[in-house]
Amino acid sequence: MAALGTPQRPLAVAIVGAGPSGFYAAEALLKAPGLTVRVDLFDRLPTPFGLVRGGVAPDHQKIKSVVAVYEKTAADPRLRFFGAVKLGCDLTAEELAARHDAVIYAVGCESDRHMGIPGEDLAGSHSATEFVGWYNGHPDHRGRTFDLSCGAVAVIGVGNVAMDVTRILSRDAEDLSKTDIAGYALDALRASKVKTVWLLGRRGPAEAAYSPAEIEEIGELSTADLVVDPAKAVVDEVSQGELADPAVKKKVEYVQEHAKKGEGSKERKVRLRFRISPVEIIGENGRVTALRIEKNELVSDGKGGVKAVGAGVFETIPVGLVLRSVGYRGIPIPGVPFDEKSGHIPNVDGRVVAASGKPALPGQYVVGWAKRGPSGLIGTNRADSVATVSSLLADLKAGTLPAATDASLDATLRLLADKKVRALSFADWRKLDVLEKAAGAKTGKIREKFTRVSDMLAALIPQ
Ligand code: NAP
């Protein structure tokens, strides 16, 4: 048999997940010098781009412009897109592996972490993931409802996702009216009665997970004052060492300067508090009415870091909505290893292992959040995917890649046809893209997204 990766026997790679990490892995493979390769890129949704479409906030269009890079990758004739094909449902991991010499999982982290406190399942208590998916028109979340008739919302956690949801809740809805925000979300935000967003960090200003630019954007909102108690913006003795990091110093100084401004006079308030942990979500008749919080003290964690411990002082804040923004989490896929504790696919240098300490499973790789957990910006995924592809190419060179049983171009097409799975091509996505832009143009928006898979499929049936 001809060697894998040569013109006589091109390397056949499947990538599962068409978000940033999947596209960067495809790009790295297609650009690998001296390699003859073809890539099949799968996504469970008919639409590509993962979190860039369904996660990045609608008021961050500049970040979304990265899709131009992915479009270029998708235009490569060696890449085929299979939209609306779900691994573990429409085809199995085994079936995919039998038709490709290597499989790269780029499935991200679709779910979210819980806080493990009483009341988390009350109506009005949601994950930020759900809220983000809702305003972005993600088909999984388009049917959710968020009670924006309440005066106050608590956002738990102070990462960049918390900043996104706080901005969307606090800014003038008209600022969003030209973006690609889902139409129903824009209507709901226009009618919103929310006046206060509590932004609650369990540690101090030096440990806040937000980026300097993100907290500054909150501070610059035209419709909301960022309110911080100066006494609470101080950096504890135990956290002083962290100020050596210029990014930490920058965000601490920003918050401390802002604290001097007091309450301000804008219609809405974002009340940022540190050293606070929620201990119970309180409800009446099954609905959230308040959040019980405990003040924290910061102590060394004994590993060079700082941790929060409850100080036994409690307070109750009336809120009608709680959004926990405490991190994303992967969900297991049948036939693919999953580490319950970390919430992602166990791996060594991107090579999937059955469990920690076990040898690599030949031909299986992982990239992005599914590989390292939910951290980093979109661009972080490029180097991460390049690193995994380097592992794959080293295995190819070492001869340890298991050749597919049937790597022919039509093997996957036949399998999907046999299973009566209708996969959408990138050309189909381009048609949806044109339709969305045209629908948006009617009301001056960048695009009006399809938010139901059934609507996308119906739109593609020739009239
Ligand atoms: P994150 O950055 O990990 O932040 C999670 C936050 O939740 C932290 O403040 C964390 O506090 C807190 N937390 C965790 N468990 C908690 C608990 N039980 N009780 C209270 N607080 C808890 O996660 P993320 O905000 O979901 O963002 C994920 C990644 O996407 C990040 O790398 C982020 O930068 C990136 N992102 C970037 C942008 C952007 O660039 N505009 C937008 C969105 C997301 P501790 O620090 O104390 O653990």
Side-chain angles (χ1 to χ4, degrees):
M1 195 183 92
L4 291 183
T6 59
Q8 295 73 31
R9 176 59 171 82
L11 183 71
V13 182
I15 299 177
V16 184
S21 65
F23 267 104
Y24 290 132
E27 183 191 36
L29 282 163
L30 296 170
K31 283 187 175 166
L35 179 72
T36 308
V37 64
R38 65 174 191 82
V39 174
D40 287 343
L41 177 60
F42 294 82
D43 203 284
R44 70 184 180 93
L45 291 178
T47 52
F49 310 141
L51 271 186
V52 176
R53 178 176 166 98
V56 174
D59 56 346
H60 276 179
Q61 290 299 321
K62 210 169 153 201
I63 297 179
K64 288 186 190 239
S65 63
V66 70
V67 299
V69 177
Y70 310 151
E71 296 264 8
K72 218 170 147 194
T73 302
D76 190 307
R78 295 171 293 167
L79 184 142
R80 296 189 295 184
F81 177 64
F82 292 87
V85 179
K86 186 172 179 179
L87 182 66
C89 180
D90 296 318
L91 46 74
T92 67
E94 213 175 299
E95 287 166 339
L96 199 61
R99 287 155 184 82
H100 300 87
D101 307 309
V103 179
I104 301 177
Y105 302 110
V107 292
C109 287
E110 271 180 51
S111 186
D112 58 274
R113 293 194 195 123
H114 282 69
M115 298 180 289
I117 60 170
E120 237 174 317
D121 50 2
L122 285 167
S125 160
H126 307 265
S127 68
T129 317
E130 291 164 357
F131 188 62
V132 168
W134 172 76
Y135 63 62
N136 273 321
H138 192 294
D140 288 358
H141 302 293
R142 56 122 24 241
R144 298 187 188 280
T145 49
F146 297 89
D147 181 8
L148 303 182
S149 68
C150 64
V153 179
V155 177
I156 318 294
V158 286
N160 284 335
V161 171
M163 299 302 115
D164 284 349
V165 303
T166 297
R167 256 189 357 267
I168 297 299
L169 285 165
S170 309
R171 69 156 68 252
D172 184 350
E174 293 320 312
D175 293 351
L176 300 166
S177 63
K178 305 263 181 284
T179 71
D180 59 350
I181 190 169
Y184 57 76
L186 181 61
D187 292 344
L189 288 164
R190 277 180 167 142
S192 168
K193 300 274 184 290
V194 173
K195 293 283 176 279
T196 304
V197 178
W198 295 94
L199 196 42
L200 305 175
R202 65 177 169 183
R203 299 189 287 163
E207 290 82 24
Y210 48 65
S211 313
E214 303 300 313
I215 189 65
E216 287 174 27
E217 215 179 331
I218 301 275
E220 283 153 22
L221 288 173
S222 62
T223 39
D225 293 300
L226 173 62
V227 183
V228 195
D229 178 348
K232 305 282 166 53
V234 292
V235 175
D236 294 68
E237 199 50 48
V238 71
S239 305
Q240 287 294 331
E242 297 182 48
L243 297 174
D245 178 338
V248 171
K249 193 161 182 271
K250 191 170 180 212
K251 58 193 181 189
V252 166
E253 284 175 354
Y254 182 79
V255 162
Q256 290 178 338
E257 270 310 301
H258 216 89
K260 294 178 190 159
K261 294 188 176 172
E263 284 284 311
S265 57
K266 292 173 191 163
E267 192 195 359
R268 289 175 170 154
K269 307 290 170 201
V270 175
R271 298 190 179 277
L272 174 59
R273 292 186 63 175
F274 296 108
R275 302 173 201 83
I276 291 290
S277 279
V279 290
E280 184 184 357
I281 302 174
I282 299 167
E284 268 173 38
N285 302 323
R287 281 210 71 81
V288 171
T289 54
L291 182 70
R292 188 165 146 81
I293 55 176
E294 181 177 12
K295 292 184 183 161
N296 290 331
E297 281 166 3
L298 299 189
V299 296
S300 163
D301 64 2
K303 294 179 265 182
V306 171
K307 67 175 181 182
V309 290
V313 179
F314 299 90
E315 192 183 326
T316 298
I317 331 175
V319 291
L321 192 61
V322 174
L323 299 175
R324 63 174 187 279
S325 183
V326 297
Y328 286 72
R329 188 183 154 78
I331 51 173
I333 298 172
V336 182
F338 185 74
D339 181 59
E340 274 299 335
K341 197 162 167 246
S342 63
H344 52 90
I345 298 175
N347 69 93
V348 176
D349 298 333
R351 295 179 178 94
V352 177
V353 296
S356 174
K358 300 277 182 199
L361 298 171
Q364 295 196 44
Y365 301 87
V366 60
V367 290
W369 281 9
K371 170 185 174 184
R372 62 176 199 278
S375 66
L377 309 180
I378 287 168
T380 314
N381 292 299
R382 184 174 233 149
D384 176 289
S385 292
V386 166
T388 290
V389 168
S390 297
S391 295
L392 189 161
L393 296 178
D395 294 347
L396 172 69
K397 203 168 165 201
T400 57
L401 277 190
T405 323
D406 182 358
S408 62
L409 253 181
D410 65 347
T412 302
L413 300 176
R414 272 189 276 115
L415 173 74
L416 293 173
D418 288 349
K419 296 185 135 207
K420 305 206 173 352
V421 175
R422 181 187 169 195
L424 271 67
S425 64
F426 210 78
D428 288 328
W429 155 244
R430 287 201 184 99
K431 285 180 204 157
L432 294 175
D433 187 32
V434 169
L435 291 170
E436 286 189 344
K437 285 176 177 158
K442 288 182 191 159
T443 55
K445 290 179 75 179
I446 292 169
R447 70 173 67 234
E448 190 64 64
K449 286 178 188 167
F450 287 100
T451 62
R452 287 188 186 89
V453 171
S454 55
D455 290 346
M456 299 181 204
L457 300 179
L460 290 169
I461 295 170
Q463 302 300 312

